Amino acid sequence: MRRAVLRVDAATPASRDRAVDALRALAICGVVLGHWLVTALVPQDGALHSASPLQRLPWLAPVSWVFQTLAVFFLVGGHVATRSLASAQARGRSYGAWLGRRLTRLLRPLLALLTLWTAAAAALLLSGTPFGTLHTLVKLALSPLWFLLVFAALTAATPLLVRLSPLWPLAVVLHVDLLRFGLHVGPRLGWVNVAAGWLVPYTLGAAWTRGELETRRAAWTLLLGGAAATALLVTCAGYPASMVGVPGAAVSNLNPPTLAAVTFGLAQCGLALLLRDRLRRAMRRPLAWAAVALANLSAMTVFLWHQTALMTTTAAVFATGRLPGLHTHPDGLRWVAARLLWLPVFTAVLALYWAVFRSCERGTRPGRTAGGGASGRSPVVRVHRVTDRDTAGAGHRVRRPPGGPQGLPPDPRPPHDARPAPSPHRAKPRVRRV
């Protein structure tokens, strides 16, 4: 274990900004824990229905402020994508090859999820499962898909967004909300904010790549300005305090994103930028960095399967009766305390799904095996080194460890073009007659 941890640390180039990976891991963990804390499956009228503790416990809304971290993920995604595109262009790689490689890893885990849930939905339907239960389960399992579709679209549009100011999509969100809530134009107009709302943190990531967010002053401006704007919108403009959707609520800050959700995301991005130096120091510890590297290698797998892990746990113990925090209505502090005790179980079930489906995200390369490759290196080291080549900036060179291919000792001979050319006057070899 210690040797593998040290190998991951040693294989990471010095030019890699480990704070970026740490922010991505924190964002994914925040979303997973947030969903587990505010999602309940309760039997009602002969079928399972989803419920949220925020319905009856609105004072728990600050929980959503901590765990609704999608803006940070889009910030990191915009930063990494623009750096990766610049690096690919510097190496002469085409846009199609660059996009294909990024989308393959993003969408490959999705095929496994869709395959399993297609088979599960068919089996449940044939077994006579109530349609209400089936609708609840499938909707919950496939809820992460909107994120993947938006993120994939923004990734494809990265060449057009490299120089785009975040103020432009922010202005779109502002005007859409003015038309929706001020002039009551119509709810369908709000879906414009699905693209414009998440485009704000994504273009902030591009601004980070351009060096416009390197100062602490810029980060403090985002944090304080975003927090102040969110407070005004919630207290004076009637926006919901919860930054996640609440079943039965007239307005959701997240579906589609509202101006309050976007300004709150600005505050989150400012805080993330302020934490960069501390995260860089923390990531100098080999164990912490190995954990973050492993989380980044399976980020999409964890994100796609965490709701399935919750539903698997709920269904597996349903025959034993209604257990607190799992099958009971989320209507009090007892439910919250019981749900906290279920989090380790959800994590263990998610680990099983991760063990089965992680290869769908990483894939294999020609001449290598999924268990570590022909070189015998840890898959974490091998895949993470591949990621370094994609995410290194155009102005940095990836440092390679000394030695020949696959860690072999270096060839003591000089390169072929550096060896002396054969002399035209070299004596002919003598042929001995037999």
Side-chain angles (χ1 to χ4, degrees):
M1 177 67 180
R2 178 180 174 83
R3 183 180 300 177
V5 167
L6 295 177
R7 188 183 303 166
V8 173
D9 184 67
T12 305
S15 61
R16 188 176 185 87
D17 189 354
R18 301 186 181 192
V20 175
D21 300 271
L23 288 173
R24 186 192 290 114
L26 289 174
I28 288 294
C29 291
V31 171
V32 170
L33 290 176
H35 282 166
W36 285 349
L37 288 174
V38 302
T39 303
L41 291 173
V42 295
Q44 184 179 355
D45 300 329
L48 283 178
H49 298 275
S50 61
S52 171
L54 297 174
Q55 289 176 284
R56 300 189 182 183
L57 305 173
W59 52 270
L60 287 177
V63 173
S64 67
W65 305 348
V66 177
F67 295 107
Q68 204 288 80
T69 50
L70 284 174
V72 178
F73 194 92
F74 278 96
L75 169 75
V76 173
H79 176 58
V80 171
T82 48
R83 288 182 60 188
S84 173
L85 179 62
S87 176
Q89 291 173 342
R91 296 195 305 270
R93 180 180 297 176
S94 67
Y95 163 75
W98 170 83
L99 181 63
R101 185 169 185 174
R102 296 193 71 83
L103 292 186
T104 296
R105 184 177 174 186
L106 186 66
L107 301 178
R108 189 190 292 122
L110 178 60
L111 297 178
L113 181 75
L114 292 177
T115 301
L116 184 141
W117 270 102
T118 299
L124 290 173
L125 192 61
L126 293 175
S127 64
T129 301
F131 182 78
T133 298
L134 183 61
H135 177 267
T136 299
L137 297 179
V138 173
K139 182 179 179 180
L140 197 60
L142 303 184
S143 58
L145 297 192
W146 73 263
F147 163 81
L148 282 183
L149 294 176
V150 174
F151 195 80
L154 295 182
T155 300
T158 297
L160 304 176
L161 307 176
V162 171
R163 293 291 175 182
L164 182 66
S165 170
L167 294 177
W168 290 107
L170 180 61
V172 172
V173 175
L174 172 63
H175 285 82
V176 167
D177 273 21
L178 285 175
L179 294 173
R180 285 179 64 196
F181 305 122
L183 301 178
H184 305 286
V185 171
R188 293 183 179 180
L189 183 64
W191 294 105
V192 175
N193 284 351
V194 173
W198 300 118
L199 192 57
V200 174
Y202 195 87
T203 51
L204 275 176
W208 180 2
T209 302
R210 297 194 300 268
E212 298 174 7
L213 301 178
E214 291 299 325
T215 64
R216 294 182 65 83
R217 180 179 179 180
W220 277 111
T221 300
L222 287 172
L223 174 59
L224 298 179
T230 304
L232 287 174
L233 291 171
V234 171
T235 58
C236 301
Y239 282 85
S242 173
M243 290 300 147
V244 297
V246 179
V251 177
S252 169
N253 273 324
L254 199 59
N255 192 27
T258 63
L259 182 61
V262 174
T263 56
F264 178 76
L266 292 177
Q268 281 187 320
C269 292
L271 179 60
L273 294 173
L274 286 173
L275 292 176
R276 285 176 297 182
D277 290 337
R278 292 188 179 183
L279 290 174
R280 287 169 185 141
R281 290 193 295 268
M283 291 301 105
R284 292 173 186 171
R285 301 174 181 175
L287 182 59
W289 170 240
V292 167
L294 182 60
N296 276 272
L297 289 177
S298 306
M300 285 299 101
T301 301
V302 171
F303 180 74
L304 287 175
W305 291 97
H306 73 279
Q307 294 286 49
T308 303
L310 183 149
M311 290 183 285
T312 301
T313 306
T314 304
V317 297
F318 187 73
T320 62
R322 296 190 179 186
L323 300 179
L326 199 61
H327 309 112
T328 55
H329 285 275
D331 53 3
L333 286 178
R334 291 185 177 179
W335 185 94
V336 176
R339 174 50 63 99
L340 291 176
L341 296 178
W342 281 106
L343 294 183
V345 182
F346 297 157
T347 304
V349 176
L350 178 58
L352 294 177
Y353 281 111
W354 171 82
V356 174
F357 295 105
R358 59 177 178 169
S359 60
C360 297
E361 181 172 359
R362 297 207 302 258
T364 57
R365 299 177 64 192
R368 298 179 183 265
T369 63
S375 63
R377 289 196 181 117
S378 166
V380 175
V381 177
R382 174 173 57 82
V383 179
H384 198 65
R385 287 171 57 114
V386 172
T387 307
D388 292 331
R389 291 198 294 270
D390 285 340
T391 57
H396 299 279
R397 290 181 177 271
V398 178
R399 298 183 180 179
R400 300 179 181 272
Q406 302 181 0
L408 297 177
D411 190 347
R413 298 174 299 174
H416 179 75
D417 53 357
R419 299 173 192 169
S423 172
H425 304 290
R426 186 168 54 182
K428 297 181 180 180
R430 295 181 180 180
V431 180
R432 187 175 181 179
R433 296 181 180 274
V434 178

